[in-house]
Amino acid sequence: MSQTKTGHCMCSCVSFVARNVPETFGACHCDMCKRWSGNVFNGVPVPSEDLQLSGEGHIKRIQTSDWAERAICAECGSPLWYRITAEGPTTGTTNLALGLFDDTSDMTLGYEFYVDRKTSANDLPKDRKQFTEAETLALFAPEDASHDQGDKQ
Ligand SMILES: [Zn+2]
Ligand SMILES: [Zn+2]
């Protein structure tokens, strides 16, 4: 069951209303997500057309690889989302940062990416889908990028 949820960045310059928010979210332990978010990035996949943003002028988009962008609040630095920009099965999905949501009480961690790269701080129980770096790249990365950019996402 999906629902409508709201959220905002640390300084509230950027806020959103998201429809069709799933109950489960993912964790990514890749090196880029670790550095970007401080350790692990929890992303809530929302169809981009169901995302209504306020504060567009405060959003800084960063193309962090050939196939994806990340966005932050330019005022407070809060990570906002990770989004695949290259054509593929997940194009059009915005992975909103879990921490932005006002209410996450009914949401659960459903899957993890790059489990072979995670820090000991994230040694979570293994009762969910887990994908290694290679398995994650096989799912999302363009064929020609999966060999020489293993640390990128
Ligand atoms: Zn902010
Ligand atoms: Zn990642």
Side-chain angles (χ1 to χ4, degrees):
M1 199 178 73
S2 59
Q3 54 186 317
T4 298
K5 284 182 175 285
T6 57
H8 61 84
C9 68
M10 188 165 63
C11 74
S12 297
C13 279
V14 180
S15 61
F16 65 82
V17 178
R19 296 188 310 275
N20 294 314
V21 178
E23 286 179 336
T24 57
F25 56 87
C28 186
H29 306 283
C30 81
D31 290 352
M32 291 183 74
C33 283
K34 279 190 289 201
R35 292 195 167 94
W36 185 51
S37 64
N39 187 9
V40 60
F41 179 69
N42 291 121
V44 183
V46 173
S48 297
E49 66 268 24
D50 290 331
L51 181 60
Q52 186 186 329
L53 290 164
S54 299
E56 184 71 40
H58 301 287
I59 297 171
K60 179 178 169 68
R61 291 172 165 80
I62 308 157
Q63 197 76 35
T64 50
S65 70
D66 289 342
W67 65 89
E69 71 169 21
R70 294 170 195 261
I72 63 169
C73 170
E75 313 306 326
C76 70
S78 295
L80 301 175
W81 69 69
Y82 172 81
R83 180 187 279 164
I84 301 279
T85 52
E87 286 301 317
T90 58
T91 306
T93 299
T94 297
N95 290 281
L96 284 167
L98 176 71
L100 302 173
F101 284 78
D102 293 319
D103 177 16
T104 59
S105 58
D106 56 351
M107 301 164 80
T108 54
L109 178 59
Y111 44 93
E112 291 177 81
F113 299 119
Y114 284 73
V115 287
D116 47 341
R117 306 291 299 165
K118 70 183 169 188
T119 68
S120 61
N122 289 301
D123 241 345
L124 308 168
K126 295 181 170 58
D127 55 347
R128 68 186 63 84
K129 282 187 205 162
Q130 297 196 315
F131 303 91
T132 63
E133 176 175 358
E135 290 164 347
T136 305
L137 285 169
L139 276 180
F140 299 115
E143 293 269 321
D144 57 345
S146 59
H147 299 296
D148 56 354
Q149 298 188 46
D151 62 336
K152 295 260 176 96
Q153 199 207 7

